[in-house]
Amino acid sequence: MKTWVVANQKGGVGKTTVAVTLGGWLVDKGKRVLLVDMDPQCSLSAYFGFEPDRIEASVYDLFTHPDRDPSEVVVASNIDGIDVLPATPAMATLDRQLGQRQGQGLVLSRALRQLAEGYSHALVDCSPSLGVLMVNALAAADRVLVPTQTEYMALKGLERMLRTLTMINRSRSTRLPCLIIPTMFDRRTRASVGALEELRQQHGDELWREVIPVDTQFREASRNGLPLPQHLPQSRGAQAFRQLLSELLAAEAAGHDEEAA
């Protein structure tokens, strides 16, 4: 199982949309996918109709009950091939509860190893805050996807996220692959076009060459509790994500070839 972590230290840039939509296209290709909600705001869990205050077990239990079998926390979504490790608001208290306790940075990694045989990919939707939840997600990652809204305030959050990745990479034997994904792009606005140009100038090597456009169908898909590929696969937004997934899988395959060599 490969783990793709969707992270940015700014909210509202499309992290949940990226995780859910890529998951939808992976399922369309016959893969089994685990979506992991590591955000106390519980947006991913709510997307699939789970009520955070009524969930019997969540990611929170993996931290507070280390011996808990993670398969007991996984719940099936309404889409065949997609399961969810849900979140609850109580996860916001984990930094305070756990403090500096040793061994808390690998909780998610251990859980995903136990679940690995059942899935081709895990997609992790992160909280925008740098704390024990994001550290766990990055420690488990094979690749980091950084959605960045094409507007100037979002670029500041991107810089914080890249500094965090630099810090994480210092503790790793190999560099963690990162791809910046321009989201909510509206070619009709000067601000969006200007922000994209700045991204290309400053982060060309790590920037996806295409964009995720503004598309009202993302909102409609969310309202129906469906990934966009299952809601309206021919929409502009869905097709942009289809291309993104194709390039991610190609990079993944190339990585396997390099390892084999």
Side-chain angles (χ1 to χ4, degrees):
M1 180 175 74
K2 291 295 184 180
T3 300
W4 297 347
V5 169
V6 186
N8 193 325
Q9 286 174 245
K10 184 182 186 305
V13 296
K15 293 188 295 296
T16 301
T17 297
V18 169
V20 170
T21 312
L22 287 175
W25 276 124
L26 282 165
V27 166
D28 185 73
K29 290 179 173 292
K31 311 287 188 181
R32 284 194 58 81
V33 178
L34 179 65
L35 296 180
V36 184
D37 194 346
M38 292 289 278
D39 189 347
Q41 295 184 24
C42 312
S43 297
L44 188 149
S45 303
Y47 193 108
F48 290 99
F50 301 114
E51 296 188 32
D53 293 326
R54 296 186 180 182
I55 292 172
E56 293 184 5
S58 73
V59 169
Y60 178 80
D61 296 271
L62 300 180
F63 286 87
T64 56
H65 298 85
D67 296 330
R68 185 75 183 260
D69 182 346
S71 66
E72 297 175 356
V73 181
V74 172
V75 291
S77 78
N78 57 329
I79 303 296
D80 287 342
I82 293 181
D83 289 342
V84 178
L85 262 176
T88 55
M91 289 161 53
T93 68
L94 285 172
D95 281 307
R96 185 175 69 251
Q97 286 187 53
L98 300 176
Q100 300 299 315
R101 195 181 305 174
Q102 293 294 316
Q104 297 304 308
L106 298 175
V107 172
L108 182 61
S109 295
R110 289 193 294 269
L112 293 182
R113 278 198 298 271
Q114 293 179 62
L115 296 168
E117 290 187 6
Y119 306 95
S120 70
H121 292 79
L123 279 75
V124 183
D125 185 16
C126 281
S127 162
S129 301
L130 179 57
V132 67
L133 292 169
M134 183 180 285
V135 168
N136 263 264
L138 294 176
D142 294 302
R143 180 177 298 275
V144 179
L145 308 177
V146 186
T148 302
Q149 185 179 357
T150 47
E151 58 97 19
Y152 287 104
M153 290 303 295
L155 302 187
K156 301 298 182 183
L158 172 63
E159 295 302 329
R160 290 194 297 275
M161 188 66 229
L162 294 179
R163 285 196 294 271
T164 296
L165 288 175
T166 298
M167 176 185 71
I168 293 292
N169 279 328
R170 291 195 190 108
S171 65
R172 292 172 55 94
S173 57
T174 57
R175 181 177 173 277
L176 186 57
C178 166
L179 183 66
I180 301 166
I181 303 169
T183 61
M184 306 180 197
F185 179 70
D186 187 346
R187 66 179 66 257
R188 299 168 299 179
T189 69
R190 185 177 301 175
S192 201
V193 171
L196 180 61
E197 182 59 31
E198 186 167 336
L199 282 170
R200 286 172 172 164
Q201 290 177 5
Q202 296 186 9
H203 306 289
D205 292 342
E206 296 179 312
L207 184 71
W208 184 42
R209 59 189 174 86
E210 302 297 337
V211 298
I212 303 299
V214 170
D215 188 340
T216 58
Q217 291 303 322
F218 285 118
R219 189 180 303 115
E220 292 302 312
S222 175
R223 185 178 301 165
N224 290 312
L226 296 171
L228 188 54
Q230 281 71 36
H231 169 71
L232 195 62
Q234 295 305 316
S235 62
R236 289 186 305 150
Q239 288 301 306
F241 271 105
R242 186 179 187 180
Q243 181 175 352
L244 172 60
L245 178 63
S246 177
E247 294 181 25
L248 288 170
L249 292 176
E252 194 172 80
H256 283 311
D257 292 343
E258 290 172 7
E259 290 172 11

